[in-house]
Amino acid sequence: MKNKIVFITGATSGIGLGCAKKFAADGYRLILNARDEHRLKEVADSLIATGAQVLTLAFDVRNRDEAAKSIEGLPEEWKTIDVLINNAGLALGLEQMYKGDYDDWETMIDTNVKGLLNMTRLIVPAMVERNRGHVINIGSVAGDAAYAGGNVYCATKAAVKTLSDGLRIDVADSDVRVTNLKPGLVETNFSNVRFHGDTERAKTVYHGIKPLSGDDIADVALYAANAPAHVQIAEVLILATHQASGSVIKRKQ
């Protein structure tokens, strides 16, 4: 047993859930965060049934006060967080920017950028003080270049890359490591959320291609976390075999 602690935001579905399962199977203790307390308990119960040690914290990463209160209130035996996975994030809408929805923009920026900053600010200082820790940010291929309709979402994921690079510079004199994972098409509830619950439209995103799964990204996250202490996996782009970039996808008819 590693007895290390991993803190995962957005842990109830998709990549976050994949990470929870993979890290639990590898012997990590889990602190799982999400907004949906009921779903969080379901996930925790299923992992505890496999022998995992799990602590849940239900709060919205956008809410700095809630986040701070939850983290400050951690039991002593759960305070030493070895790995932080900033996974909570979302895309909303696919409109041209000049037709975009203000509320969608604010939600994406507040979650994808400010939420990541909140968690980093609350957890990383203790890592630096201990001279040990690892931050894994879930970015996106969308952060490399904009695609049609992606505008603000792409900008938030470009911010994740820049923030990851900046943090890596800031902690370079310590043993804290920083990784930015950049998935392409991953079949989760991502598209369902983007299209505000339009399941049929969401299905078209993955038509004609075998997309990645949350577990695929979790495999890479676990590899990065378990690399030797002198090895820092700084950035990884993970694409489905028939996806060449954020906008080039070869679909079978």
Side-chain angles (χ1 to χ4, degrees):
M1 289 286 289
K2 285 184 169 57
N3 207 37
K4 287 185 175 181
I5 297 173
V6 59
F7 191 122
I8 306 170
T9 68
T12 54
S13 65
I15 295 171
L17 179 57
C19 287
K21 292 187 295 184
K22 294 286 183 177
F23 277 76
D26 200 52
Y28 282 78
R29 297 160 64 201
L30 311 177
I31 302 176
L32 304 182
N33 156 261
R35 291 177 298 169
D36 186 337
E37 190 168 1
H38 176 71
R39 175 62 182 146
L40 197 56
K41 184 179 184 306
E42 287 182 341
V43 170
D45 287 347
S46 68
L47 291 167
I48 290 169
T50 69
Q53 296 183 59
V54 184
L55 180 71
T56 60
L57 295 177
F59 64 84
D60 189 329
V61 295
R62 296 176 295 176
N63 189 319
R64 187 193 313 164
D65 292 337
E66 277 188 13
K69 184 178 179 180
S70 295
I71 292 166
E72 289 166 6
L74 282 170
E76 201 61 39
E77 65 272 20
W78 287 92
K79 286 185 181 293
T80 306
I81 297 166
D82 298 282
V83 182
L84 166 64
I85 301 181
N86 279 315
N87 166 72
L90 75 169
L92 291 170
L94 203 61
E95 296 82 17
Q96 294 154 310
M97 188 160 58
Y98 62 88
K99 297 178 181 177
D101 183 280
Y102 289 105
D103 290 337
D104 284 353
W105 292 351
E106 289 188 5
T107 300
M108 284 187 283
I109 293 168
D110 287 351
T111 306
N112 300 357
V113 181
K114 292 181 182 179
L116 179 147
L117 285 169
N118 287 339
M119 299 307 297
T120 301
R121 182 65 181 85
L122 289 166
I123 291 175
V124 173
M127 291 182 173
V128 174
E129 186 177 344
R130 292 192 305 270
N131 197 37
R132 186 181 77 253
H134 195 163
V135 179
I136 300 177
N137 292 329
I138 306 300
S140 172
V141 63
D144 288 346
Y147 56 76
N151 44 76
V152 174
Y153 173 70
C154 294
T156 66
K157 289 303 183 179
V160 171
K161 172 182 168 50
T162 306
L163 293 171
S164 299
D165 291 345
L167 179 61
R168 196 178 303 112
I169 292 166
D170 291 339
V171 300
D173 60 348
S174 76
D175 288 346
V176 177
R177 302 183 294 183
V178 181
T179 299
N180 180 28
L181 299 185
K182 304 189 299 184
L185 277 179
V186 184
E187 189 167 13
T188 64
N189 66 344
F190 175 88
S191 292
N192 202 302
V193 171
R194 161 167 263 171
F195 298 131
H196 298 281
D198 187 339
T199 304
E200 291 308 310
R201 187 180 180 191
K203 287 179 182 177
T204 65
V205 174
Y206 311 108
H207 176 72
I209 185 171
K210 182 174 177 57
L212 302 166
S213 69
D215 287 351
D216 293 328
I217 310 307
D219 282 334
V220 183
L222 185 63
Y223 174 83
N226 287 343
H230 71 287
V231 177
Q232 180 170 215
I233 309 299
E235 186 171 285
V236 184
L237 175 65
I238 312 125
L239 302 176
T241 299
H242 297 286
Q243 179 178 16
S245 69
S247 57
V248 178
I249 300 168
K250 297 301 180 182
R251 302 179 188 272
K252 296 178 181 179
Q253 299 301 317

